[in-house]
Amino acid sequence: MTDARPETGPPDGPVHDRGSGPGADGAAAPQKDHGRAGRDLKAAITSGVVLLGAIAASLAFWKPAFMLIVVIAVVVAIWELRQGLLAKDIDLPEQPLMLGGAVMVVVAYLYGSDALVTATAVTALAVMLWLLRRGIDGYVKTATASVFTLVYVPFLGSFVALLLSEGGRDGGGLDNDGVQGILTFILVTIASDIGGYIAGVLFGKHPMAPVISPKKSWEGFAGSLVATVAMGWLLVVLLLEGDWWVGLCLGLIAVVMATLGDLCESVMKRDLGIKDMSQVIPGHGGLMDRLDSLLATIAPIWLLLHYLVFT
């Protein structure tokens, strides 16, 4: 959930942007004031439209093409996490993590959840073996961070592949169960983000977690709750033709998990001392700054839709 309200004070600990450009190595360059919104809305909207357009096109014509987008996202997210963890002198072995993560996504799409568990275990072992080449010093720290990254990004991201595989692995269009599931997953998470953002900008006064995320307010959470439950109910009833109570459950689960996912990533960034994971998406920051809520919501949404709607 993205919530915006005026900063109530300095952040807890140093927060800085590691981006390149003027001021990166010397005095910090002045930051452009984007007002209460807290970001460049024009760039953010443009980037969002381009990303959503690519997703919509892949789902409309041939849904395996969407798997390519998921694999690219996993690889970029692993790269971002490695860049962030370097601030704590943790150097992730990105080659086996990227290769293993891509394999996990593909295996999940082609062979299902059992194969995903096996691929995850094999990749974790392969990464730990890869790290033996670096010697003893720092092995436990790096191996722990690597397995965390493996679970956080490619394992959770592979649930997108599981959801997309509903209704067969070929084809596309709105009449396909997998496409409908992905649209539901994306739209309820976007509803949480937009509802929280608007309510936070207009009404945000009471911080939810001031130490972790000073801009996040309880008013913003209320906006997320209303928007997400409404979106979940509408999509499950009208698009998926499921029971109304499943839609309400979907919305409640999504808003709670999206909020927790956003807070967890905020904690990570504060611990690492960075503002954004990167600047690969204009107006949004890093890819992980957009994926935090999506990664947190996908597993429970797949579980609910798989057993209560598609079965």
Side-chain angles (χ1 to χ4, degrees):
M1 177 186 69
T2 298
D3 185 8
R5 60 186 300 276
E7 289 282 2
T8 57
D12 181 34
V15 178
H16 58 276
D17 188 349
R18 295 173 293 107
S20 60
D25 298 321
Q31 298 295 315
K32 185 176 180 180
D33 183 11
H34 297 300
R36 286 173 64 88
R39 61 169 113 166
D40 186 342
L41 283 180
K42 182 178 180 181
I45 292 172
T46 301
S47 300
V49 169
V50 171
L51 290 172
L52 290 176
I55 291 171
S58 64
L59 293 174
F61 296 104
W62 192 53
K63 67 180 188 178
F66 181 65
M67 281 296 91
L68 178 61
I69 296 177
V70 176
V71 169
I72 293 173
V74 165
V75 169
V76 173
I78 290 172
W79 172 81
E80 282 189 347
L81 278 178
R82 179 178 180 271
Q83 300 307 305
L85 289 170
L86 283 174
K88 294 292 185 179
D89 295 323
I90 301 174
D91 186 8
L92 295 179
E94 59 182 358
Q95 295 92 342
L97 283 173
M98 288 178 177
L99 177 59
V103 170
M104 287 163 59
V105 171
V106 174
V107 163
Y109 185 68
L110 295 178
Y111 303 111
S113 57
D114 291 343
L116 170 60
V117 172
T118 302
T120 303
V122 171
T123 302
L125 290 171
V127 169
M128 288 188 287
L129 289 172
W130 181 282
L131 288 173
L132 291 175
R133 304 164 55 199
R134 298 184 180 180
I136 297 174
D137 188 37
Y139 178 85
V140 173
K141 179 175 67 174
T142 306
T144 302
S146 298
V147 174
F148 165 78
T149 299
L150 188 70
V151 173
Y152 186 32
V153 179
F155 180 73
L156 291 180
S158 293
F159 281 86
V160 176
L162 292 177
L163 183 56
L164 186 65
S165 66
E166 300 283 349
R169 297 177 180 84
D170 293 317
L174 281 178
D175 58 343
N176 184 276
D177 286 347
V179 173
Q180 292 177 353
I182 292 295
L183 289 176
T184 300
F185 153 63
I186 292 175
L187 290 176
V188 295
T189 309
I190 289 176
S192 175
D193 190 58
I194 294 177
Y197 182 75
I198 293 175
V201 168
L202 296 178
F203 310 111
K205 293 182 180 179
H206 300 88
M208 175 182 284
V211 174
I212 297 173
S213 184
K215 291 184 179 181
K216 199 172 304 300
S217 65
W218 284 108
E219 291 82 1
F221 178 76
S224 289
L225 179 64
V226 172
T228 308
V229 170
M231 183 65 74
W233 178 79
L234 286 172
L235 290 170
V236 169
V237 172
L238 299 181
L239 179 62
L240 304 182
E241 299 181 351
D243 295 326
W244 63 269
W245 61 270
V246 176
L248 295 183
C249 290
L250 179 70
L252 287 172
I253 291 171
V255 71
V256 171
M257 296 306 297
T259 302
L260 290 176
D262 190 64
L263 287 173
C264 286
E265 207 226 357
S266 294
V267 169
M268 289 174 56
K269 290 190 293 186
R270 286 189 173 274
D271 184 31
L272 296 173
I274 58 178
K275 182 178 182 295
D276 294 312
M277 284 295 182
S278 75
Q279 295 295 328
V280 297
I281 307 178
H284 291 273
L287 183 62
M288 283 300 301
D289 298 306
R290 297 298 91 202
L291 291 183
D292 51 7
S293 298
L294 293 167
L295 289 173
T297 58
I298 180 56
I301 286 179
W302 170 79
L303 188 67
L304 188 146
L305 293 182
H306 179 72
Y307 288 104
L308 297 182
V309 176
F310 295 136
T311 299

